[in-house]
Amino acid sequence: MKNLFLIVFLFVGLCSWAARPRNRFVRMDTVCHCSVGEFQHVVDSFFYQFQTGASDSLFEWAYLNTGGDGNTSEGGKDAVRLHYTTATYDPKTRTGDQALDIYVLGSKMFPDRHLITVSNGGRMDLTYSGALLDDANIIFKIDSVAPTITRVKYEFNIVFGGFVAMFISDKTWHGAMRWRIEQLLKNFVECAETGTVKQH
């Protein structure tokens, strides 16, 4: 009887892990007090710095206020962490290749992986060398409301690989990832409006 209970418990647990969604997204809609050109300049700067591996520069503005808390458990801010190592960039095709190590729940689960990025205007598509990601993109739709007022629709879409999705619970998605993606857009708006991003 104990063995039957254990088998049922394991089966239910595996089914709930396997049922975790692979598609995750963040969609935001905001108004920025700047021109379309000023906001597009911020997007272009982010895409270029991201694709060329200028992570030090990004931590000074785009990634500001997204620091972790050292908590690598499920739901902790550092449950999923990326460590970028090297990058190459082709300015003609606007294609970047970044090597990175991926830590999940404190362990380096995916060392020396490659993230291929292609940017075009308000969109950057990301593909991955392994089974971690099936697809990802960042999309900015920018419309002028007035000469110094711009409406921004922001989308971040990601499709995790089936195996990895089992480790990304709702708690981990919200605790370690979603809030950072939302903060990124807030930093873009602040940079476009003021020319800088302050530590909050």
Side-chain angles (χ1 to χ4, degrees):
M1 189 66 169
K2 287 182 180 179
N3 288 341
L4 178 61
F5 177 75
L6 180 61
I7 291 170
V8 169
F9 178 77
L10 289 173
F11 178 75
V12 170
L14 286 173
C15 286
S16 67
W17 270 35
R20 289 181 173 167
R22 294 179 57 215
N23 297 357
R24 301 282 186 162
F25 61 88
V26 173
R27 294 191 178 111
M28 298 174 72
D29 192 339
T30 191
V31 172
C32 184
H33 297 276
C34 68
S35 69
V36 168
E38 288 168 327
F39 196 89
Q40 185 64 54
H41 176 72
V42 171
V43 171
D44 292 342
S45 296
F46 172 73
F47 284 174
Y48 180 76
Q49 291 174 24
F50 184 87
Q51 291 186 277
T52 59
S55 57
D56 290 344
S57 298
L58 290 173
F59 280 104
E60 294 172 7
W61 69 279
Y63 296 159
L64 207 59
N65 306 308
T66 65
D69 58 3
N71 183 356
T72 59
S73 62
E74 183 181 11
K77 288 186 175 181
D78 290 325
V80 178
R81 187 171 56 87
L82 308 179
H83 174 72
Y84 295 99
T85 54
T86 61
T88 59
Y89 180 70
D90 181 346
K92 290 183 180 177
T93 61
R94 299 177 91 177
T95 301
D97 179 355
Q98 288 191 343
L100 65 154
D101 299 327
I102 301 167
Y103 293 76
V104 179
L105 302 177
S107 298
K108 187 195 285 187
M109 292 187 70
F110 305 97
D112 194 31
R113 298 301 198 246
H114 287 263
L115 188 64
I116 311 300
T117 57
V118 179
S119 65
N120 183 12
R123 180 183 179 116
M124 183 166 60
D125 291 292
L126 302 89
T127 54
Y128 179 71
S129 62
L132 176 68
L133 297 178
D134 285 348
D135 190 27
N137 58 56
I138 302 170
I139 302 168
F140 291 90
K141 296 178 183 174
I142 307 167
D143 294 308
S144 177
V145 176
T148 58
I149 299 177
T150 299
R151 183 173 183 186
V152 179
K153 292 183 179 179
Y154 169 63
E155 292 183 27
F156 180 92
N157 303 293
I158 189 166
V159 181
F160 290 107
F163 175 72
V164 174
M166 292 191 300
F167 294 94
I168 310 296
S169 66
D170 287 345
K171 189 174 182 180
T172 297
W173 168 249
H174 292 288
M177 303 173 83
R178 182 184 179 100
W179 72 271
R180 284 186 166 108
I181 297 164
E182 292 172 346
Q183 183 62 49
L184 192 69
L185 177 62
K186 293 174 186 174
N187 290 347
F188 280 31
V189 169
E190 185 175 348
C191 187
E193 289 181 340
T194 69
T196 188
V197 179
K198 293 182 180 178
Q199 182 81 48
H200 301 293

